[in-house]
Every structure is written in C-alpha cells, then in structure tokens.
Amino acid sequence: MAQWTSAVGATQLARLLRSQDPRDAELAVGGRKLPAYRGLADGVRLLVLEGRVPVAARLPAERELAAALGVSRTTVAAAYEALRAEGFLESRRGSGSWTAAPAGSPLPTRGLEPLPPEAGGSMIDLGCAALPAPEPWLTRAIQGGMADLPLYAHTHGDYPAGLPVLRQALADRYTARGIPTMPEQIMVTTGAMGAVAAICRLCTSPGERVAVDSPSYANILQLMRDAGARLVPVALAERLAGWDIPAWRQVMRDAAPRMAYVVADFHNPTGTLATDDQRRRMVDAAKAAGTLLVVDETMTELQLDDNPEPPRPVCAFDPGGSAVITVGSASKAFWAGMRIGWVRAAPDIIRSLVAARAYSDLGSPVLEQLAIASLLDTGGWEQAVEIRRDQARENRDAIVGALRRELPDWEFTVPRGGLTLWVRTGGLSGSRIAEVGERLGVRVPSGPRFGVDGTFEGFVRVPFTVGGAVADEAASRLAGAARMVASGATVDADTLRAFVA
C-alpha cells in the first residue's frame, strides 16, 4: 500500500526548485562547490521544511525529474539517496518515493502557525504578526460582555449572522466612516480567516480562478489552495506604490477570475497603502469584468504615521456591497484571541453566507461578541486601538533601527502603518535564513510563503511584535543566520556555537 497522500509533478517540482536562489547550489564549502546532487537534495529539503512540498507527497520518478531539470538521472538518484539518508524521503518498490519528516522533527506547515507558548523562553517569535492584548481594555471588554450575558443565556446561543447588538454596532461604525450600512449587510464570523473561508465556499468552486496580490497573506493563500482555487498572482506596483491597476485590468480581462482577494490598507506583508484613485479604479475594473472583489480590512485601523487625507474604504465605491465584499477583524486592531471578524456585503449575499454557515460552525462565541460590542458602545475600542498603535509604532521603530545596524545590506521600505516589514535579504535565500535562524533562536517566515509557486525567495517578513532589547537580539540572530548562509557553512552544533559566539 502506498504511503503518499498527494503528488508533486516533475514540472511543478522543477519550477519550485528554480524559484530558489540559484547561488544556493554553488555555495563554497571548504573551497569547492557543492556537487549538483547535493544542491538538488538541499533544494528539495528546503521545500519540505518550508511546507511548499507537503510531507507524504509522492515525488516524480528519477527519469521524469531529470528531464524536467535538464540534469542526469544519476544526479537525481544521488539526491534522492541523500534525502533518504537524512530522513526526508521514503521509498518502496512499486510505490515510488514520497517526502517525510525526520524522526523527532516537528511537521512543517504551509501557513504561519503560532509558536507554542512553552517555546517562548528560548525562541524569539517573528512568525506571527500579532501583539499581546491591550490592557486594561481586554479585561473591561470581558467584564462588559459578562454583564450582558444573562440576557442571552436563556437562548440556544447559536446566532449564525451574529448577535444583533454587534451587527448594529458594526453597521454604525461603517456609517460613521461615510458608508451608510444596515445591520442586514453584516455577518459576524470567527475571525477574518473564517470570513474569507465562508466567502470562498459560497462564491467559488474547485478549479476556479482567484486573483490575488503578489505577495499576499500566506494563510489566506493556503486557505484558497486547500479550497481548490487556481491562484492568479498580480504584482504590486513598483516600489510598493499600491496596486498596479493596468496589470489588474489585464488579469481580470484575460484570466476572468471569479473572485479577487486584496488588502488595500497596510498590506500584509508589505505594508503598502492603496491610494484613493487606485481603489476607485480597482472597483471599476472588477465591476467591468464581473469579478467579485474581496477586500481585507484587518489592518485598516493601524495607521502609525499621520496621514492628513486617508483614502476612503474600498466599499465606499460600491456602498451596496454587490461587487465589493469587505472583511474586517478585531484580531490585529484589538487582540487575536478574541477571534471575532465580520463581513460587509449586500443583504442577499449576507443571507446566503448565513444559510451556508449551518454546515460549518453555526456562529461565533456569544461572550466574545458581547465583549467587542461593549467596547464599540462605550468608546473603549478607540482607546484600545490607540494603545495598539503606540505599541506597534514603538516596535516598528525599534526593529527598523536594529536591522539597519546589524544588516545594512538588507533593504526595506518603512510602512506608515500595519504590523509587518517586507525585507529584501541582500541576495541571500530567505528560506535558508529562516531555516538557520530557527536554529539560532529566531523564527521568521521566508518570502515564498507569501507568493504563488515559490516566488520571493530573496525576502523575509519581519513583524512589529518585539521591541527594545528583544528587537536588538532578534536582529543580531538574523545577522548570524545571514552570515552562515552567505558562507555556505554546514549547520551543525559546532558551527552554530561559533556563530553565536
């Protein structure tokens, strides 16, 4: 019986391997270049560690991969043998070869999973772009929710559309921003991920095209892949100047995507802020093409620098919500532990989303909804968000200064808001820096997690989650990882101790 659960074709694997830094296969070790088979084995190993090739995925036959890569079958056979010896490959006659995780190693993931709390003492976690809760507002929110809970305790507790009090509060908030909104245009969800998952289930079918920013938020990309979407990447404008509208028009015209997912406000991972004109033109392009535009506003309240004329929400150009579906969340602006998100759309779309929810999670937790409603009703939301902005601004300035001191060759544009810094790693492989960095005690996601088909190998994402001395130490460990990658040093215990010293 075969042990593999999915398969990676020769063409796909060759494309993923070629997306890696081409110099990785030529790193000098002891004054000589790595053999071709060693470079190939290392490339496959990195793809497994990054989660871009899942564990238990059947790899192509040696002859097929050799033809796709333009190398000898002997090279592929030697690479496969090296991977078997390291525990990254298993084989059985008649069943082929499939990827594996070495015994005792944690399974790699394809998204940005939170680091377990028990690992926090030894690891600086730059993988998750989320801050601790803003106190005392979390406690006050829960207390406010508890005070209102008896009114709902006698009910069944399932509210697929969300509690009426929270739907009204969110509708009022959009209206205050200049977009008249009824509660019937709001559905409360389990975080922004829950919102996008619900929209994907309703509005797309497996195999349909979905256009996305390139780069884009890694977890949403993986969610869409798992749903069977065919992702169509659209690059941001040069120098992260918002959206490239001509490129978007061409993709919408030629690829005819059923849906597009974009982040207009302090884009994750780049921090880009789309202009007012770009937003209007994007909506016009989507309407003309018949593409449903899903806009993620998770970061919208995290403006860290003054902007005298902030752009209007994207839904301002489609207030009825028939062409633009807006996704919001309390996770970044308040606290990820609340797991409260929402959708704003036309009432008929909301009704369809609510009806479909009966087959998923039935509704979001009542207490957490009441807590957010209490914050919005009492003015505590604005004060909590101001604390969050202060934290993010202080951390941003600390990590920017530390990176410039420790890694002057790394390039980035300091964003005016959001929680993330998109960093070009001076020509080094972001995947290898992430791998070595974790061995040195700093966890950072590499660029390919945020792209389609292995792009952005020369980038890492650094969030604004640490400050002060911790930011300095994180940058120091990343600098150590960069030195090791640049030198081609073997990642063993002795070398690690030398670089740390």
Side-chain angles (χ1 to χ4, degrees), residues 210-217 221 231-237 242-244 248 260-265 267-270 272 282 293-294 296 450-452 456:
V210 175
V212 294
D213 293 325
S214 184
S216 189
Y217 179 40
L221 294 181
L231 300 181
V232 182
V234 186
L236 295 174
W243 292 319
D244 185 338
W248 271 100
Y261 168 81
V262 295
V263 183
D265 298 284
H267 174 268
N268 186 353
T270 67
T272 294
M282 177 72 90
L293 190 62
V294 178
D296 190 335
F450 303 89
V452 176
F456 305 110

Side-chain angles (χ1 to χ4, degrees), residues 4 27 39 134 176 217 258 266 277 330 339 411 420:
W4 48 273
L27 290 173
Y217 179 40
R258 173 70 183 90
F266 312 120
D277 183 61
R339 306 308 311 142
E411 302 173 26
T420 58

Side-chain angles (χ1 to χ4, degrees), residues 151-165:
L151 298 174
Y152 298 86
H154 68 281
T155 73
H156 49 62
D158 290 332
Y159 293 85
L163 294 182
V165 64

Side-chain angles (χ1 to χ4, degrees), residues 54-414:
V55 169
R58 187 180 188 274
L59 295 187
E62 295 169 3
R63 190 184 305 277
E64 294 174 353
L65 184 57
L69 290 172
V71 300
S72 70
R73 182 178 177 181
T74 302
T75 296
V76 177
Y80 278 16
E81 181 58 36
L83 289 166
R84 278 189 288 269
E86 296 165 2
F88 285 94
L89 196 69
E90 296 181 9
S91 303
R92 179 175 296 174
R93 186 179 297 277
S95 298
S97 299
W98 56 91
T99 56
S105 298
L107 287 177
T109 59
R110 291 175 288 172
L112 302 179
E113 78 291 353
L115 186 70
E118 60 269 19
S122 59
M123 183 74 66
I124 299 175
D125 185 14
L126 299 180
C128 189
L131 291 165
E135 287 288 21
W137 296 107
L138 173 61
T139 298
R140 293 180 183 178
I142 296 298
Q143 290 171 341
M146 288 291 292
D148 294 331
L149 187 60
L151 298 174
Y152 298 86
H154 68 281
T155 73
H156 49 62
D158 290 332
Y159 293 85
L163 294 182
V165 64
L166 181 55
R167 297 176 75 193
Q168 182 67 62
L170 292 169
D172 291 345
R173 191 162 185 81
Y174 279 104
T175 300
R177 294 171 65 192
I179 310 101
T181 302
M182 304 178 294
E184 292 79 8
Q185 290 179 266
I186 301 292
M187 180 178 85
V188 180
T189 63
T190 306
M193 291 287 291
V196 176
I199 295 166
C200 285
R201 286 194 298 268
L202 177 69
C203 300
T204 66
S205 300
E208 284 193 302
R209 295 182 180 91
V210 175
V212 294
D213 293 325
S214 184
S216 189
Y217 179 40
N219 286 342
I220 292 293
L221 294 181
Q222 193 56 47
L223 182 156
M224 291 179 175
R225 290 189 191 101
D226 290 344
R230 296 169 59 189
L231 300 181
V232 182
V234 186
L236 295 174
E238 290 187 16
R239 300 182 183 278
L240 305 182
W243 292 319
D244 185 338
I245 298 300
W248 271 100
R249 283 182 176 148
Q250 181 175 349
V251 164
M252 288 180 180
R253 182 182 65 245
D254 297 346
R258 173 70 183 90
M259 189 174 87
Y261 168 81
V262 295
V263 183
D265 298 284
F266 312 120
H267 174 268
N268 186 353
T270 67
T272 294
L273 179 67
T275 67
D276 204 70
D277 183 61
Q278 287 170 340
R279 296 168 191 238
R280 175 184 56 78
R281 294 164 66 196
M282 177 72 90
V283 174
D284 289 345
K287 287 181 177 179
T291 297
L292 188 65
L293 190 62
V294 178
V295 181
D296 190 335
E297 285 193 337
T298 300
M299 297 281 192
T300 192
E301 301 212 44
L302 294 178
Q303 179 172 307
L304 307 183
D305 296 335
D306 291 337
N307 188 351
E309 295 184 12
R312 288 171 286 178
V314 178
C315 58
F317 302 98
D318 178 46
S322 58
V324 175
I325 297 181
T326 303
V327 171
S329 173
S331 294
K332 305 301 184 184
F334 186 67
W335 187 46
M338 296 299 285
R339 306 308 311 142
I340 295 296
W342 53 86
V343 176
R344 182 198 182 276
D348 61 319
I349 295 176
I350 294 297
R351 285 193 295 270
S352 297
L353 287 169
V354 171
R357 195 173 191 180
Y359 306 102
S360 56
D361 65 354
L362 288 177
S364 300
V366 170
L367 179 58
E368 281 83 345
Q369 292 187 70
L370 289 172
I372 296 297
S374 174
L375 281 175
L376 293 170
D377 184 56
T378 62
W381 177 270
E382 284 74 14
Q383 296 177 68
V385 169
E386 192 57 43
I387 292 174
R388 173 66 76 241
R389 292 191 188 108
D390 290 342
Q391 288 176 314
R393 187 184 301 112
E394 182 177 336
N395 288 351
R396 180 196 63 180
D397 295 346
I399 198 70
V400 164
L403 288 175
R404 283 175 171 164
R405 286 193 305 272
E406 297 286 345
L407 292 152
D409 292 338
W410 285 19
E411 302 173 26
F412 50 84
T413 298
V414 180

Side-chain angles (χ1 to χ4, degrees), residues 455-489:
T455 52
F456 305 110
E457 182 59 53
F459 290 83
V460 295
R461 189 195 74 172
V462 179
F464 311 146
T465 52
V466 297
V470 180
D472 292 337
E473 180 62 22
S476 177
R477 295 182 189 184
L478 286 174
R483 291 195 300 273
M484 290 187 68
V485 171
S487 72

